[in-house]
């Protein structure tokens, strides 16, 4: 886990996690997106990167009002296609299983957190269909282009989330 | 039905990729093959020509679950080759880091990977609905181990702070203080976990294994000691090759390690416990007895209890080390490259991990050899599968398949390390 921006303030607690390994082709999508968010998000937003160990996500989102996960999905029928999934409402489609070479996948972390009552208030995933996950390969052009688009969409969603959460707090 | 074929194409809840083929003819198990098809990873060749100082960071990449084991065996072997001994608080910090890995790895296996076998769940996520407290406990234990890894290693997976000669940076006392309360809670949770798993239903199965583990004059061995067995083996790591050899088998991309004169042997928690019960503190011995374990346990299914006892031990040991910690004057000892050969064996969570390096004058690596614990346990796993299946032939194919998978998970195999995941094919004819 690498924290690349620590959110400040107590009005909202939002976390964005870029999941993936930058040294494995399109698996680097998550880190590529969240690095673009630094300096472009509300101050209450924390940003981190995580590789491997999806179970640790449950620790990461403890006490958070909202969490956005950014990850690559494989194999992709259409590399670069973007999916936004509200994980509190919808299960990850099996054909869009967010990739992991380890025993526990993001879907497992969500399932376990749901069973244990440890889900954050909101949990959204942005997934992009990948083309290549070869060791040492760069991010494919289609997925790199999608990263720019997803960074804009996540930044916009973070601003809306902040407004909603601060509003909720003011009316509480 | 005289002949049966049962197949599991992918063994779940193990690290890496493998399968099992079980052949049953005329009511007899004729073969049990652990087919490891994880691609060979060629780390030993990759190390040739690299500098001695690069070994801990390169070999850590062999495994995301037990990177510290690879770092520790590599640094000890390099220090052996360079004629340097690292002692005092640097040695203690290494042991503390290793405790972190034992806690993280054992917690994951005991609660999330192995417990579902005994309670009849497909996985830890299904189990969480009925055993939420136990799963929360497992996650809390894992977190305590991860905290130590992060604090001493810089991050919890593939730590970056270990170097030949010591560390790049050592913590101050104040940096270690915040983990103490978490470790005390983890210790209580580990005790509760040991009592929980002791109540599981265990198959009535024992085998007369040759147990192989490290033994130290006055510690429950982790980082150093002689390689000993219950059949008289007692050697230094430098003599490893005189007693052990690796063999290629056609059905596995991992080499199988055997004792040259006696064949299969078992490494890991069960071996450590059986050969070092007298080295456990009185509290841990007492808890072991309370959970029904004697000083020797030959039932591999009860390895889950032994892992829980080791969880308690690792928490206690970590707390002891932190209480006695005084920052060393320097984070590492000075090293001069030289030609030489170095050997080391340390206790990875799954058992002994042997490294041997030959260095050139400039400290570059001429040859490297790494023997991971799962390579050493492969033959014992296959023999267990034969025995366990033979005694359970009256089970349905599904139940027999589950029992075989449970048998494999007794070893917490790390297939990626051994090549180095699991398909199970059961053939009844």
């Amino acid at each position: 886990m690498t924290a690349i921006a620590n959110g400040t303030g107590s009005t909202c607690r939002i976390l964005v996690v870029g999941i993936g390994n930058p040294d494995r082709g399109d698996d680097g999508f998550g880190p590529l997106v969240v690095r673009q968010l630094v300096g472009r998000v509300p101050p209450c937003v924390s940003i981190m990167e995580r590789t491997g160990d999806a179970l640790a996500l449950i620790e990461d989102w403890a006490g958070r009002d909202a969490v956005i996960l950014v990850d690559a999905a494989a194999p992709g029928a259409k590399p670069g296609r973007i999916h936004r999934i509200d994980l509190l409402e919808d299960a990850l489609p099996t054909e869009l299983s967010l990739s992991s070479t380890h025993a526990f996948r993001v879907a497992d972390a969500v399932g376990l957190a749901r069973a244990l009552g440890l889900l954050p208030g909101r949990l959204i995933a942005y997934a992009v269909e990948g083309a290549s996950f070869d060791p040492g390969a760069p991010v494919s052009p289609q997925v790199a282009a999608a990263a720019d688009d997803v960074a804009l969409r996540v930044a916009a969603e973070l601003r809306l989330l902040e407004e909603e959460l601060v509003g909720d707090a003011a009316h509480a | 039905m005289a002949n049966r074929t049962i197949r599991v194409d992918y063994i779940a809840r193990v690290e890496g990729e493998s399968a099992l083929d079980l052949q049953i003819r005329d009511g007899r198990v004729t073969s049990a093959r652990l087919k490891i098809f994880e691609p060979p990873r060629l780390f030993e060749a990759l190390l040739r020509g690299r500098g001695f100082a690069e070994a801990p960071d390169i070999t850590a990449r062999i495994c995301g679950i037990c990177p510290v084991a690879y770092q520790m065996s590599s640094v000890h072997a390099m220090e052996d080759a360079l004629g340097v001994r690292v002692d005092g608080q640097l040695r203690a910090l290494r042991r503390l880091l290793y405790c972190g890995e034992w806690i993280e790895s054992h917690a994951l296996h005991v609660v999330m990977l192995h417990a579902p076998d005994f309670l009849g769940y497909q996985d830890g996520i299904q189990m969480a609905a009925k055993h939420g407290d136990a799963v929360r406990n497992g996650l809390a234990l894992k977190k305590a181990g991860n905290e130590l890894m992060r604090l001493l290693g810089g991050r919890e997976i593939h730590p970056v702070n270990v170097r030949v000669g010591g560390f790049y940076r050592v913590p101050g006392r104040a940096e270690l203080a915040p983990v103490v309360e978490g470790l005390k809670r983890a210790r209580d949770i580990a005790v509760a976990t040991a009592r929980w798993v002791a109540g599981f239903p265990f198959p009535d199965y024992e085998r007369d294994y040759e147990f192989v583990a490290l033994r130290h004059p006055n510690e429950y061995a982790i980082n150093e000691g002689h390689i000993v067995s219950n059949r008289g083996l007692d050697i230094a790591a430098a003599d490893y090759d005189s007693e052990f050899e690796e063999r290629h088998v056609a059905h596995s991309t991992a080499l199988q390690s055997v004792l040259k004169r006696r064949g299969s042997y078992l490494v890991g928690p069960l071996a450590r416990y059986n050969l070092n019960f007298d080295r456990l503190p009185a509290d841990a011995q007492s808890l072991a007895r309370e959970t029904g374990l004697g000083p020797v346990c030959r039932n591999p299914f009860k390895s889950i209890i032994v892992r829980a006892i080791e969880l308690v031990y690792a928490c206690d040991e970590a707390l002891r080390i932190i209480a006695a910690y005084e920052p060393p004057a320097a984070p590492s000892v000075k090293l001069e490259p030289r030609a030489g050969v170095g050997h080391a064996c340390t206790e990875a969570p799954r058992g002994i991990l042997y490294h041997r390096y030959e260095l050139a004058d400039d400290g570059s690596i001429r040859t490297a050899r790494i023997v991971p614990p799962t390579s050493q346990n492969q033959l014992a796993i296959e023999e267990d599968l034969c025995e366990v299946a033979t005694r359970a032939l009256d089970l349905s194919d599904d139940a027999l398949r589950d029992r075989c998978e449970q048998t494999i998970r007794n070893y917490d195999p790390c297939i990626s390390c051994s090549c180095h995941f699991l398909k199970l094919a059961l053939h009844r004819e």
Side-chain angles (χ1 to χ4, degrees), chain B residues 266-286:
Chain B
L266 182 150
V267 302
L270 212 58
R272 283 195 291 264
Y273 175 90
N274 288 333
L275 294 165
N276 293 287
F277 180 80
D278 60 340
R279 297 290 186 262
L280 283 171
D283 280 1
Q285 290 184 1
S286 171

Side-chain angles (χ1 to χ4, degrees), chain A residues 1-2 21 23 50-53 55-56 58-60 101-104 107-109 111-112 115-118, chain B residues 13-15 64-65 104 108 112-113 124-125 128-129 131-133 135-136 139 142-143 146 150 155-157:
Chain A
M1 180 270 289
T2 307
N21 181 346
D23 295 318
R50 186 168 277 293
T51 58
D53 199 9
L55 273 188
I58 300 175
E59 291 170 28
D60 296 340
T101 55
H102 290 72
F104 288 92
D108 297 326
L112 188 60
L116 296 173
L118 295 174
Chain B
R13 287 186 271 133
V14 299
E15 168 59 33
I65 306 289
E104 178 266 331
L108 179 70
M112 298 304 296
L113 305 180
I125 299 162
H131 298 273
D133 286 344
V135 172
R136 281 188 204 91
L139 294 176
K142 188 170 178 302
K143 183 179 180 183
N146 280 346
R150 195 177 298 137
R155 59 187 185 188
E156 62 268 44
I157 299 176

Side-chain angles (χ1 to χ4, degrees), chain B residues 311-346:
Chain B
L311 274 169
V312 176
Y313 173 73
C315 292
D316 278 339
E317 182 67 357
L319 286 164
R320 184 194 66 77
I321 291 168
I322 293 172
Y325 180 63
E326 293 291 341
S332 65
V333 300
K334 196 169 168 12
L335 302 165
E336 293 294 338
R338 70 174 197 189
V341 177
H343 315 254
C345 207
T346 70

